[in-house]
């Protein structure tokens, strides 16, 4: 009796195991079928396979950035005071060289390579400080140390312009009145355009500027006629036309807010095959804010000096001029 029971239990266990196996196989096939269906009918292949488009874009960026290796930038930094916009501090004589060496591990976090979309960055390379900049403070002439320098080129696919970004660590604060170069990360960037792309947008900007100038001319003319007229009805007509022209001028400006950032021909320099770089860039840092976020703080502007003076320290006359209040 015990033997019969054991055999019956063994058969039941075997049947139960086969049912589980069949059920698991069926479930697996259903999941696989659903996955294949999604892959063919929806655009979710990027969840399993790397997208080729960003990789292609990045390879193009790397090729473009490769042409900038060895480029020297002769710069002047103009910092503005936070409390007093009239307080300024200039840093002159700074010369940097873009290299192909790997960036220091202690480099500041960069917006592109360390940001949310690293595909738009060429990756980080080292910046060599050929000559330190200097400024004049109340304590006298002071060099500006830039440490752990790195650079990258950032260019989002489809965007009219890219940017060369440089990042450094400032070991100590340099201050002149309320203007200062604070300790911590320092960033600056220059816009980069293709020659054909810049020409296209310069022509568009010219059209917009001409349209604004036309409305501005009408506004000025009608307002002058309003002031000169002695007839109340004519004054009302001219005043209405002046307001209409002013409104149209503001409308054109509001619909083209970025056109003011398009540089003129004298404000760019060639940096490679079919590439130009703006001579004026932004200078900023960032500080920790609430909830782990960072707050960008504008410090001033940075300018490329195409024809710098001799690489020498300032004379006594220059020092006296810089020390003027």
């Amino acid at each position: 009796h015990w033997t019969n029971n054991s055999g019956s239990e063994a058969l039941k266990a075997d049947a139960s195991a086969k049912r589980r196996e069949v059920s698991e196989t069926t479930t697996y096939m259903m999941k696989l079928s659903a996955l294949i269906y999604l892959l063919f009918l929806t655009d979710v292949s990027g969840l399993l396979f790397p997208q080729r488009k960003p990789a292609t874009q990045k390879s193009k960026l790397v090729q473009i950035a490769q042409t900038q290796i060895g480029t020297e930038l002769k710069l002047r930094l103009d910092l503005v005071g936070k409390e007093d916009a009239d307080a300024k501090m200039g840093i002159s004589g700074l010369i940097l060289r873009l290299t192909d060496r790997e960036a220091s591990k202690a480099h500041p976090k960069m917006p592109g390579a360390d940001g949310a979309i690293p595909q738009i960055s060429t990756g980080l390379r080292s910046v060599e400080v050929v000559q330190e900049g200097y400024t004049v403070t109340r304590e006298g002439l002071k060099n500006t140390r830039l440490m752990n320098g790195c650079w990258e080129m950032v260019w989002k696919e489809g965007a009219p312009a890219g940017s060369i970004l440089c990042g450094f660590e400032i070991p100590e604060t340099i201050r002149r009145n309320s203007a200062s170069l604070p300790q911590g990360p320092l960033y600056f960037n220059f816009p980069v355009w293709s020659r054909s792309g810049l020409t296209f947008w310069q022509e568009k900007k010219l059209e917009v500027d001409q349209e604004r100038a036309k409305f501005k001319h009408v506004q000025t003319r009608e307002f002058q006629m309003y002031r000169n007229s002695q007839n109340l009805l004519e004054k009302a007509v001219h005043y209405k036309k002046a307001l209409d022209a002013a409104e149209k001028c503001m409308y054109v400006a509001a619909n083209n807010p970025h056109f003011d950032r398009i540089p003129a021909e004298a404000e760019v320099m060639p940096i490679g095959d079919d590439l130009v770089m703006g001579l004026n860039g932004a200078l900023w840092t960032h500080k920790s804010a609430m909830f782990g976020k960072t707050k960008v703080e504008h410090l001033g502007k940075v300018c490329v000096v195409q024809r710098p003076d001799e690489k020498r320290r300032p004379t006594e006359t220059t020092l006296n001029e810089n020390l003027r209040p």
Side-chain angles (χ1 to χ4, degrees):
H1 177 71
W2 179 82
T3 304
N4 290 337
N5 287 341
S6 298
S8 177
E9 291 176 358
L11 289 173
K12 289 180 180 180
D14 185 60
S16 178
K18 286 183 178 180
R19 284 196 299 271
R20 282 198 304 271
E21 184 179 352
V22 170
S23 177
E24 290 174 357
T25 302
T26 303
T27 302
Y28 172 78
M29 291 302 295
M30 291 175 64
K31 290 181 178 179
L32 182 60
S33 298
L35 179 60
I36 294 173
Y37 180 81
L38 286 173
L39 289 177
F40 277 97
L41 296 184
T42 64
D43 187 20
V44 297
S45 56
L47 299 175
L48 299 178
F49 309 106
Q51 296 284 343
R52 290 186 178 183
K53 197 171 184 180
T56 303
Q57 171 70 1
K58 184 156 187 173
S59 65
K60 291 179 182 178
L61 275 176
V62 171
Q63 291 174 8
I64 294 173
Q66 201 68 27
T67 63
Q68 310 311 314
I69 303 303
T71 299
E72 285 194 359
L73 300 175
K74 305 170 181 63
L75 306 176
R76 173 180 172 82
L77 278 58
D78 294 313
L79 297 107
V80 181
K82 289 198 302 183
E83 293 84 7
D84 183 6
D86 293 330
K88 294 178 173 59
M89 181 174 70
I91 297 176
S92 304
L94 177 61
I95 302 178
L96 305 177
R97 181 182 295 128
L98 307 182
T99 77
D100 197 27
R101 297 193 300 270
E102 185 179 353
S104 166
K105 293 183 179 179
H107 68 79
K109 288 188 176 182
M110 298 294 286
D114 300 317
I117 314 176
Q119 293 91 343
I120 66 174
S121 168
T122 56
L124 301 182
R125 294 172 170 83
S126 176
V127 174
E128 177 184 350
V129 179
V130 178
Q131 177 176 291
E132 289 185 341
Y134 57 86
T135 188
V136 179
T137 66
R138 292 184 179 276
E139 291 77 27
L141 191 67
K142 194 172 185 65
N143 284 11
T144 55
R145 292 181 59 202
L146 305 180
M147 301 176 61
N148 304 322
C150 61
W151 74 280
E152 64 179 347
M153 182 179 286
V154 174
W155 202 320
K156 185 179 179 181
E157 189 169 14
S163 185
I164 290 180
L165 294 109
C166 297
F168 300 90
E169 288 289 344
I170 306 299
E172 61 175 341
T173 299
I174 300 175
R175 188 180 304 278
R176 182 185 177 190
N177 298 327
S178 65
S180 66
L181 182 64
Q183 179 183 13
L186 173 70
Y187 303 94
F188 52 79
N189 70 291
F190 296 98
V192 177
W193 303 77
S194 67
R195 168 55 67 185
S196 57
L198 179 59
T199 300
F200 173 81
W201 287 106
Q202 282 175 336
E203 292 173 353
K204 290 291 184 182
K205 180 184 178 183
L206 180 60
E207 293 175 4
V208 170
D209 289 344
Q210 289 174 345
E211 190 175 10
R212 291 178 63 184
K214 180 184 69 176
F215 291 132
K216 191 71 176 177
H217 173 72
V218 173
Q219 177 189 355
T220 304
R221 183 192 67 198
E222 293 296 330
F223 189 70
Q224 189 63 40
M225 294 177 71
Y226 157 78
R227 295 183 64 182
N228 295 337
S229 177
Q230 301 299 320
N231 185 293
L232 291 179
L233 183 58
E234 289 181 353
K235 288 176 76 73
V237 171
H238 291 309
Y239 189 75
K240 176 66 167 57
K241 289 182 178 180
L243 286 180
D244 289 344
E247 184 177 349
K248 290 177 181 178
C249 187
M250 293 174 60
Y251 178 81
V252 172
N255 280 274
N256 301 279
H258 303 300
F259 275 27
D260 290 339
R261 302 180 186 178
I262 299 173
E265 201 61 36
E267 298 173 328
V268 298
M269 61 179 285
I271 58 171
D273 297 338
D274 193 42
L275 285 180
V276 293
M277 184 182 79
L279 299 179
N280 300 306
L283 188 67
W284 80 95
T285 184
H286 66 71
K287 295 183 178 180
S288 298
M290 296 179 64
F291 309 111
K293 295 183 178 181
T294 56
K295 180 182 179 182
V296 175
E297 181 179 326
H298 179 70
L299 298 176
K301 66 178 183 177
V302 56
C303 306
V304 176
V305 182
Q306 287 184 299
R307 293 188 177 92
D309 296 329
E310 294 179 3
K311 298 177 183 179
R312 58 182 174 81
R313 293 309 182 198
T315 61
E316 188 67 30
T317 303
T318 307
L319 285 175
N320 292 335
E321 290 177 354
N322 288 336
L323 285 171
R324 288 183 302 177

